[in-house]
Amino acid sequence: DVKVTQSSRYLVKRTGEKVFLECVQDMDHENMFWYRQDPGLGLRLIYFSYDVKMKEKGDIPEGYSVSREKKERFSLILESASTNQTSMYLCASTLGVQPTGELFFGEGSRLTVL
Amino acid sequence: RKEVEQDPGPFNVPEGATVAFNCTYSNSASQSFFWYRQDCRKEPKLLMSVYSSGNEDGRFTAQLNRASQYISLLIRDSKLSDSATYLCVVSTWEYGNKLVFGAGTILRVKS
């Protein structure tokens, strides 16, 4: 069974703290994605990666960075957390670069920044 | 204008009812279309792809209208377990696999 695992389900951080969100997939997928999901706005793409050490900005990359040192792991970093980054963060992966539509998501990390 | 728009609902329907959701998209170059389902406090999961000729999977029917740039999802004989948020997803081929998600339509099926 396919598996995308996010390291933390719930986090509470203070403004200015550095935050790491980790995501691991066991399906040998090339593509990995970080989204945030907010009420009324849907899922918005922050960054994606189509290969190890490669990264591309999504629609809302400001305030975030990513790291992909190994194929199975894609990390999202908030260098200095702010209250407007309070959100649900979803990691996803998919095989290949064709738009098959089937993204496999992790369970999500709900981040609260105080 | 949002790239993908959905009526947020909620749609409150009794068990056994037929319910339909529409979703409009703005980019005429969009190539692939999907419906995802998201249960409360869970991750989204692919429900079905939407093909040009329309397609059916059990009680679920998806349709695409390229001329009017919308897709639809019809659910027949609604079950309590169909209660969820339904996300419309549109893919426009760019480098990588970029999918654009609608904000979702909430369905509540009541006994």
Side-chain angles (χ1 to χ4, degrees):
Chain A
D1 202 11
V2 298
K3 192 76 173 171
V4 178
T5 303
Q6 294 185 227
S7 55
S8 305
R9 292 293 307 276
Y10 300 95
L11 304 95
V12 180
K13 298 291 182 180
R14 295 199 179 277
T15 301
E17 281 192 271
K18 192 168 186 175
V19 182
F20 290 91
L21 299 178
E22 297 224 301
C23 174
V24 178
Q25 50 95 2
D26 64 0
M27 297 164 281
D28 203 34
H29 283 171
E30 284 90 359
N31 302 314
M32 296 188 74
F33 307 80
W34 275 106
Y35 289 87
R36 64 178 282 177
Q37 185 175 27
D38 301 288
L41 297 177
L43 276 77
R44 292 180 291 166
L45 182 63
I46 304 171
Y47 268 96
F48 67 99
S49 168
Y50 50 87
D51 202 353
V52 175
K53 297 193 185 295
M54 305 302 285
K55 60 185 179 184
E56 293 286 337
K57 291 180 180 179
D59 299 316
I60 52 164
E62 296 78 19
Y64 304 94
S65 62
V66 291
S67 171
R68 192 156 180 211
E69 296 296 316
K70 294 185 178 181
K71 189 176 185 180
E72 67 271 17
R73 189 179 299 268
F74 192 35
S75 301
L76 180 69
I77 302 142
L78 288 68
E79 292 288 342
S80 177
S82 61
T83 54
N84 63 11
Q85 293 179 308
T86 292
S87 187
M88 169 67 87
Y89 290 88
L90 288 159
C91 174
S93 73
T94 190
L95 180 65
V97 295
Q98 294 299 324
T100 64
E102 183 149 28
L103 288 178
F104 296 92
F105 284 91
E107 290 186 305
S109 298
R110 185 168 292 281
L111 172 66
T112 301
V113 183
L114 302 175
Chain B
R1 183 186 171 187
K2 289 183 182 177
E3 204 167 335
V4 177
E5 293 204 68
Q6 297 181 248
D7 181 343
F11 285 62
N12 295 301
V13 303
E15 273 187 293
T18 295
V19 62
F21 313 132
N22 281 343
C23 163
T24 59
Y25 60 95
S26 61
N27 189 338
S28 59
S30 298
Q31 299 165 312
S32 303
F33 309 88
F34 312 92
W35 285 101
Y36 273 68
R37 171 194 169 125
Q38 186 173 23
D39 293 318
C40 189
R41 300 188 183 280
K42 294 284 193 179
E43 71 274 22
K45 293 185 179 178
L46 180 66
L47 177 65
M48 60 195 303
S49 302
V50 186
Y51 303 123
S52 297
S53 55
N55 49 299
E56 191 173 305
D57 183 2
R59 298 181 292 108
F60 298 84
T61 301
Q63 298 275 359
L64 166 64
N65 185 318
R66 284 191 185 272
S68 301
Q69 294 185 202
Y70 75 85
I71 67 172
S72 63
L73 178 67
L74 180 79
I75 306 175
R76 290 181 299 278
D77 189 23
S78 299
K79 312 289 185 192
L80 294 175
S81 58
D82 293 334
S83 298
T85 299
Y86 291 84
L87 306 175
C88 170
V89 183
V90 173
S91 172
T92 304
W93 175 239
E94 298 179 49
Y95 191 87
N97 188 353
K98 183 179 178 184
L99 300 177
V100 180
F101 286 75
T105 297
I106 297 170
L107 172 64
R108 296 182 185 143
V109 182
K110 302 199 184 280
S111 59

